[in-house]
Amino acid sequence: MLNVLWETEGLQAVGIVVLVCASLKLLHLLGLINFSEDSVEDELELSAVRHRPEGLEQLEALTRFNRKELQILYRGFKNECPSGVVNEDTFKVIYSQFFPQGDASMYAHFLFNAFDTDKDGSVSFEDFVMGLSILLRGSVQEKLNWAFNLYDINKDGYITKEEMLDIMKAIYDMMGKCTYPLLKDDTPRQHVEIFFQKMDKNKDGVVTIDEFIDCCQNDENIMRSMQLFENVI
Amino acid sequence: MAAGVAAWLPFARAAAIGWMPVASAPMPTPPPDNRRKQDGLILLNVSGQKFQTWRNTLERYPDTLLGSTEREFFFHEETNEYFFDRDPDIFRHILNFYRTGKLHYPRQECISAYDEELAFFGIIPEIIGDCCYEEYKDRRRENQERIQDDEDSENQNDMVPPDMTFRETMWRAFENPHTSTMALVFYYVTGFFIAVSVMANVVETVPCGTLQNRVKQVSCGERYALAFFCLDTACVMIFTVEYLLRLMAAPSRWNFIKSVMSVIDVVAIMPYYIGLVMTDNEDVSGAFVTLRVFRVFRIFKFSRHSAGLRILGYTLKSCASELGFLLFSLTMAIIIFATVMFYAEKGSSASKFTSIPAAFWYTIVTMTTLGYGDMVPKTIVGKIVGSVCSLSGVLVIALPVPVIVSNFSRIYHQSQRADKRRAQKKTKLGRIAARKSGGTSAYLQYKSNGLLSDLIDEVTVDPSQALVCKANPMFDTHHNHLLHCLEKTTNHEFVDEQTFETSLLEVSMAKHPPHSPSLSSGSSSQGLSCCSRRNKRKSFNVPNSNMTGGHRNSIQELSTIHIRERPITNSRSSLNAKFEETVPLNCKQPYITAAVITLPTPPVTTPENDGSASSPDYSQANIVRVSAL
């Protein structure tokens, strides 16, 4: 008899507790009460990052572009990035659109690091235009310097085989799968070996900036190809 | 590639310098850089509204009108701009496409106008951005459906192709009862009998008072069993005949048998036949009684008669997924609440909730807010659960209902639109006919004037006419000259609609009358040329008459004059007995249903006759308007 009584009462109690919890949860869901301290709604992350570049005159002084060229460059830049800065993801997206067959994200990552000279995680118009100035209007020395900077991932002044391998793999990734002849897995490695054989004069396993520049200046092909993109703008 | 990204191509090329030191082979020479002309502004004038943009912006998409050399066709030297005589509001969106690489569809624009503009500027609509693509596709589909509906309803009410087999006519009569009176009669008769049959089924079960020697009430069905049986037999016979006729007339029998209406028909009449067969067997009479339930399906036969029912059925079919969702969610909720209820009420004494399935009934009644009260919870928990149950029931049922309602409303409005269009079509056709005949009469007028001017130097133009023609004289003259050239090319001439219809009917009648068909066909062909000649003759006869109200009316008058005289002469000079038999001369009206037969009677000179060849005149005089039956 008592058991039956306990049973019913126990059931009632359990039922009430369950109902109360459920209603609390429902109210929380509806936003009427909140348990935690932070607000219930999602904080809309306003991308408050806006960047305005320095004036045309200053940029003219800093780079080797004239006014008209800077105007054209800025218009293109602002069209694609209205907020005035490029972050790495946008950079990757933009660059990948030029290489649809392969995966350009790794190379874009390295490029981004090469352009982002002040290491603030975003490429502003100044960074962009200064990088372009070196690439298009700089002396061969400066260009080679820039290329070395690109390959030297950790910026320690030495290009190791691993760094070179990363770069090489990134470049080969851009090709994608459908190539002729078929890309083998160790093609990048072989290419790195060739590169090191050529560049590493003292065979210490790393390439320094001087070795690099010396070697490139002695190579006809490389010298010629450096002048290739003079008239891009 | 997006347009904006094209602006980054110089950057990508510059960054390629990074590959140079590792390259194993020499690089290819770069393409010759045609010293790009200074990127200038282009002025686009669209119907007075000026747009300006960089030349490079437009040339991002070289396969469109603005991006290719095609735009040079629109260059206007005097103002040194490109002029387009198009809608500037829509052009705004097209120009934005060049600027941003995304094409948007403005919601307030008409879909066909937008499509036209896109086609003009050479832009494919598939590149509409994701933000607007769905809306565009929806509107387009709606428009296509509407056009399809128009075409379908037009096709339905077209002129009856004259040579339809009997089977096709019958099928047409069944599908569209408005086509002929026979079909209409049949339609109403079947409707009446459906109603009678359903009423009989209903009244059968009403208690009708007591029989002698019995105490309890008997139903009317048992009391007047014979009467009801006869009624049922009659109805079923009609339904059977109807079904067999439809089956016979259907263009595709298999499709017809598969269709819903045919299934309903079969189910409606089957119980009767099964009942006939099975009355002997006592064991299955119980089943036979159940079969009678199916007789109620006869009420579904009304859906042929009522468009609203059909719409409802169609709506339910198209909302099948919503209905399924409703059912599923209801079932879930019922099971949950019934379980909770059962366990909550398990303790209370004499509880009606003996099992979970027993609790289903309570849950359903509560969720649909019926609340019969035959089962009520007694414990507190049970009551709380019951209240939550009723609240959630309201919500769950209310959710899919708007979807179903909006579907129904859309389909209903569509059918309303179809009906409205049908009603408007008559006036529309009238207007179109007036315009067409106006056009032909204008041309025929011109012809008479023009021909006159060929022969007579002065062009006698009615002052009222001149007023009318002033609107667009150059266009009209060129147009009329064109039509004249066509006539000369084909050696045929344009005639107005009446005469054409007349000659057409002659041709068709020429097939039917069993006597002297050859003569009639001969005369009818003559009739065609005669019609035009009649026009000419008329113009000679009435050189300077006031042609008020168009050419046609004067022809009408003359022809009536013609005809009014005819019957008298005919009666006088009728020698052809056959002619008299076949033609009931109705002297009151100028309408004579006459087979065109050249009378071998001597030519009777009519006052209008200018002495030209009599036999053509003769047959011409016989060409009369035929009353349309």
Side-chain angles (χ1 to χ4, degrees), chain B residues 499 502 506 523-524 526-538 541 555 558-559 562-563 566 596-599 606 608-609 612-625:
Chain B
T499 42
T502 325
E506 286 161 15
S523 57
S524 57
Q526 268 184 326
L528 269 172
S529 49
C530 280
C531 294
S532 48
R533 241 179 293 157
R534 179 156 63 144
N535 294 345
K536 261 198 231 165
R537 258 178 23 95
K538 207 206 73 54
N541 286 339
I555 294 182
L558 279 177
S559 58
H562 263 293
I563 291 158
R566 246 1 195 148
V596 178
I597 306 167
T598 47
L599 299 173
T606 60
E608 257 83 344
N609 209 331
S612 35
S614 50
S615 41
D617 273 339
Y618 221 75
S619 49
Q620 189 182 337
N622 274 341
I623 298 164
V624 296
R625 277 196 308 270

Side-chain angles (χ1 to χ4, degrees), chain B residues 306-319:
Chain B
S306 153
L309 260 184
R310 272 201 301 270
I311 292 174
L312 192 60
Y314 185 65
T315 310
L316 290 176
K317 199 165 59 158
S318 68
C319 300

Side-chain angles (χ1 to χ4, degrees), chain B residues 147-158:
Chain B
I147 294 177
Q148 194 62 30
D149 274 348
D150 259 347
E151 276 178 14
D152 283 347
S153 58
E154 256 185 48
N155 288 341
Q156 274 179 11
N157 303 343
D158 262 350

Side-chain angles (χ1 to χ4, degrees), chain B residues 270-333:
Chain B
M270 268 298 113
Y272 177 78
Y273 290 110
I274 296 179
L276 278 185
V277 168
M278 285 208 320
T279 29
D280 319 301
N281 207 335
E282 276 298 325
D283 296 333
V284 290
S285 64
F288 164 63
V289 167
T290 334
L291 261 183
R292 297 181 119 208
V293 167
F294 282 100
R295 290 190 305 171
V296 82
F297 271 77
R298 286 181 198 163
I299 207 168
F300 284 115
K301 285 164 73 78
F302 265 130
S303 62
R304 273 210 190 93
H305 298 251
S306 153
L309 260 184
R310 272 201 301 270
I311 292 174
L312 192 60
Y314 185 65
T315 310
L316 290 176
K317 199 165 59 158
S318 68
C319 300
S321 64
E322 277 80 33
L323 286 175
F325 165 70
L326 174 63
L327 218 57
F328 176 68
S329 54
L330 264 181
T331 315
M332 247 178 40

Side-chain angles (χ1 to χ4, degrees), chain B residues 89-108:
Chain B
D89 293 327
I90 300 184
F91 185 77
R92 188 168 64 86
H93 298 280
I94 291 176
L95 195 54
N96 270 340
F97 164 62
Y98 285 91
R99 293 181 181 136
T100 61
K102 289 196 223 120
L103 182 61
H104 294 281
Y105 169 62
R107 273 171 203 175
Q108 75 274 13

